[in-house]
Amino acid sequence: MTYTEGRAISSSQRTALPSHAFLYKAAAVSVLLLSGSLTAEAGTCDPAKCVFPACVCPSVSPPKGLDPKTVPQFFTLTFDDAIQSQTVTPVAQIMSPHKNPSGCPIKATWFAQIMYSDFALIQQWYAAGNEVADHTMTHPSNPPAAEIIGNRKAINAFSGIPFAKLNGFRAPNLNYSKGTFDTLAQEKFLYDSSTNAVTENAYWPYTLDFGLANDCWTGICNEAIAAPGMWEIPMHAIMNGAEPYSMDPQLFAPAGTIAGLLKDNFNRHYQGTRQPFGIYLHPVHIKEAGAMYNEFFTWAAAQKDVWFVTNQQLLEWMKNPVPASELAAQEYMKCNMPAVGKEICNGLDDTKAGAIDKGLLEVCNFPDGPWSTCYGCPKTKPTPEDPVPERVVAAGTAGARTPVAASCAMEWWDPVAAQCLCSNSTCAFTDIATTTTPVTGTPTPKPGNGNGNAAIQLTGSWASMGLVAAVAAGLAQLL
Ligand SMILES: *[C@@H]1O[C@H](CO)[C@@H](O)[C@H](O)[C@H]1NC(C)=O
Ligand SMILES: *[C@@H]1O[C@H](CO)[C@@H](O)[C@H](O)[C@H]1NC(C)=O
Ligand SMILES: [Zn+2]
């Protein structure tokens, strides 16, 4: 059962962008507005009232007046829609060959819908150090609140991911309204990433204290969106001259043309004011473009100070920006994997047996496709009206799976034994960063890293610990 968000949707996303004629006009207006200062702040954001770090005005320049040449070039790779074996496979193929400057595997954000997703694969994507964000339950345009709220509830219940980590949102078909932002603000989301940025409004992430400054041609910037402290992470279109390609750029021109455009657009950011550079993909559309993306990621990763990050990592940096030279040392950039020592249902291949959560997943059968979970099958499929239906095996009865205890991290929680295998800083970790430079001197054990640097010698690559094994495990469970 494959869920395909077809070309029709991609083209509606494109028509959600200004027409060429409009863009030319917009460009002319921007030139006038920007002629005084290249770092002019947009819209009604008043820098005197918008005080860092609680509030950040839309700006093409890095926060705190930092010199662009000293800041990291962030690369935000995102995926949308269902997380299922068919979509995880092409994603693993374009991610697993690449590393950040720290030696850690590159990270990405998946805006996951519930329909056709496998909750165990959502958990595995998160356990591998990536971000899961909200893309509603059934993918409606201009989604009702229940679609947004139900997504987090279901993922929390059936994938074990804490609410606090499920705090980003992208509107299906990039179709949102002021009401969408009202819901996000009420539900205390950290950020939205549904708006488009073209060359003239290619802003760094900003807070919504003074409303939106992207997609203004729709009138949305005049709406009184009041979401103080909530971030907007604009989606930077790949520009082909004046024509923006918002998502899946490979669908709109031959591979050779796109490969050139990706480099030109990346360079505009990298040699300019280093706004995060993004590639936003639907995994079902990657297909043979995988080779082109792998080549482009290899090229980009070879440029100095380029980091592929999740949206949450990007916002950690925004709140406390450090020079590129200090990024690797930040806690939120580490790639420590829990060393549990026995196979528990936590989304990881704890015993390095080549299969994640082997024999521990429950397979739940519903008419639109079976999915698996560590946290007990529900009696009915999750819906916006009832995102967390009663379990087949009721809590407290034999064989029931237990939700993650509040004091335990999901990676350490055994839902079968209802036991937390570690709840303090003495937990053993494996640092899976690989370096090409030999480590010299005496390895210094790090706090919270029971294995110290010795673990580096033992590392598995991401491919052996992460998604490739996840796919095998997921498929094995489904067959
Ligand atoms: C957004 O969704 C609404 C509700 O489904 C629809 O009426 C509207 O046409 C959509 N807008 C765009 C630009 O597709
Ligand atoms: C940390 O947790 C482990 C096992 O969960 C326990 O044996 C140990 O005593 C704890 N240490 C501290 C300092 O609380
Ligand atoms: Zn979508």
Side-chain angles (χ1 to χ4, degrees):
M1 181 83 47
T2 308
Y3 175 67
T4 315
E5 188 169 54
R7 222 174 209 286
I9 284 167
S10 298
S11 46
S12 78
Q13 282 162 355
R14 286 182 66 211
T15 54
L17 289 167
S19 69
H20 296 189
F22 186 92
L23 259 186
Y24 287 126
K25 264 194 230 154
V29 171
S30 308
V31 168
L32 289 178
L33 287 176
L34 292 175
S35 58
S37 152
L38 274 178
T39 59
E41 259 112 20
T44 56
C45 190
D46 177 354
K49 292 192 189 135
C50 179
V51 181
F52 184 88
C55 181
V56 174
C57 283
S59 173
V60 297
S61 298
K64 291 182 84 177
L66 289 172
D67 176 356
K69 292 286 164 275
T70 67
V71 305
Q73 175 63 59
F74 292 109
F75 195 129
T76 51
L77 175 61
T78 74
F79 303 100
D80 281 17
D81 301 349
I83 303 191
Q84 53 176 202
S85 50
Q86 295 93 325
T87 54
V88 161
T89 308
V91 166
Q93 282 164 353
I94 63 169
M95 286 185 71
S96 54
H98 310 289
K99 302 262 188 239
N100 273 326
S102 57
C104 287
I106 64 168
K107 299 293 194 258
T109 304
W110 201 314
F111 292 90
Q113 65 179 44
I114 301 301
M115 190 169 57
Y116 306 127
S117 277
D118 185 303
F119 285 96
L121 290 176
I122 296 178
Q123 182 182 9
Q124 290 165 23
W125 168 257
Y126 171 81
N130 296 294
E131 179 181 346
V132 179
D134 189 331
H135 196 48
T136 75
M137 295 196 75
T138 71
H139 207 273
S141 286
N142 192 18
E147 284 274 355
I148 299 172
I149 295 168
N151 173 290
R152 290 170 104 188
K153 287 190 173 165
I155 292 177
N156 170 257
F158 298 107
S159 306
I161 305 176
F163 278 107
K165 295 293 175 75
L166 293 165
N167 56 18
F169 178 78
R170 175 169 294 159
N173 312 323
L174 308 185
N175 181 327
Y176 61 87
S177 64
K178 176 182 180 294
T180 314
F181 282 87
D182 293 343
T183 301
L184 298 179
Q186 269 159 30
E187 297 296 315
K188 301 196 167 24
F189 273 73
L190 174 67
Y191 72 90
D192 169 77
S193 186
S194 307
T195 64
N196 297 284
V198 292
T199 315
E200 296 74 29
N201 57 13
Y203 300 129
W204 279 79
Y206 54 94
T207 60
L208 292 163
D209 302 51
F210 296 85
L212 278 170
N214 290 84
D215 287 353
C216 294
W217 62 279
T218 66
I220 192 72
C221 301
N222 302 325
E223 299 266 7
I225 288 173
M230 191 169 94
W231 294 82
E232 180 61 24
I233 305 179
M235 300 170 69
H236 296 273
I238 300 298
M239 303 302 296
N240 183 2
E243 190 172 12
Y245 300 150
S246 174
M247 300 185 77
D248 307 307
Q250 78 278 6
L251 297 180
F252 303 113
T257 309
I258 293 295
L261 288 178
L262 295 181
K263 287 185 184 175
D264 292 349
N265 279 267
F266 178 92
N267 279 333
R268 198 178 62 246
H269 289 229
Y270 186 61
Q271 290 158 11
T273 50
R274 296 216 171 163
Q275 305 94 324
F277 177 82
I279 294 284
Y280 319 110
L281 301 174
H282 290 94
V284 291
H285 292 322
I286 294 175
K287 298 192 177 130
E288 57 283 358
M292 180 205 53
Y293 281 118
N294 265 324
E295 212 171 293
F296 174 59
F297 295 169
T298 302
W299 174 85
Q303 316 294 311
K304 192 173 184 298
D305 299 332
V306 173
W307 294 78
F308 290 68
V309 294
T310 66
N311 283 338
Q312 287 172 352
Q313 287 174 320
L314 169 63
L315 294 181
E316 286 295 324
W317 186 88
M318 288 299 298
K319 290 183 227 166
N320 181 21
V322 295
S325 57
E326 290 170 30
L327 188 59
Q330 305 303 308
E331 203 50 47
Y332 58 85
M333 293 305 299
K334 298 279 165 67
C335 51
N336 290 332
M337 284 289 178
V340 176
K342 67 170 179 169
E343 195 62 34
I344 58 171
C345 212
N346 62 352
L348 294 168
D349 180 9
D350 302 296
T351 54
K352 315 286 177 289
I356 293 174
D357 301 343
K358 195 172 184 198
L360 297 172
L361 295 173
E362 286 189 6
V363 179
C364 317
N365 287 299
F366 293 107
D368 50 6
W371 45 264
S372 42
T373 177
C374 290
Y375 292 96
C377 290
K379 287 181 178 167
T380 55
K381 79 169 186 183
T383 60
E385 296 71 37
D386 187 8
V388 188
E390 239 181 89
R391 302 300 204 282
V392 172
V393 181
T397 61
R401 299 294 175 94
T402 309
V404 186
S407 58
C408 195
M410 181 274 278
E411 314 69 302
W412 296 97
W413 181 250
D414 177 351
V416 178
Q419 190 184 9
C420 189
L421 298 186
C422 184
S423 51
N424 60 37
S425 59
T426 63
C427 306
F429 284 96
T430 307
D431 183 345
I432 63 163
T434 51
T435 51
T436 45
T437 344
V439 181
T440 52
T442 315
T444 321
K446 286 169 277 178
N449 181 345
N451 293 333
N453 278 0
I456 292 173
Q457 285 15 284
L458 308 174
T459 112
S461 67
W462 192 42
S464 67
M465 304 190 58
L467 280 179
V468 172
V471 174
L475 280 174
Q477 292 300 325
L478 292 173
L479 290 174

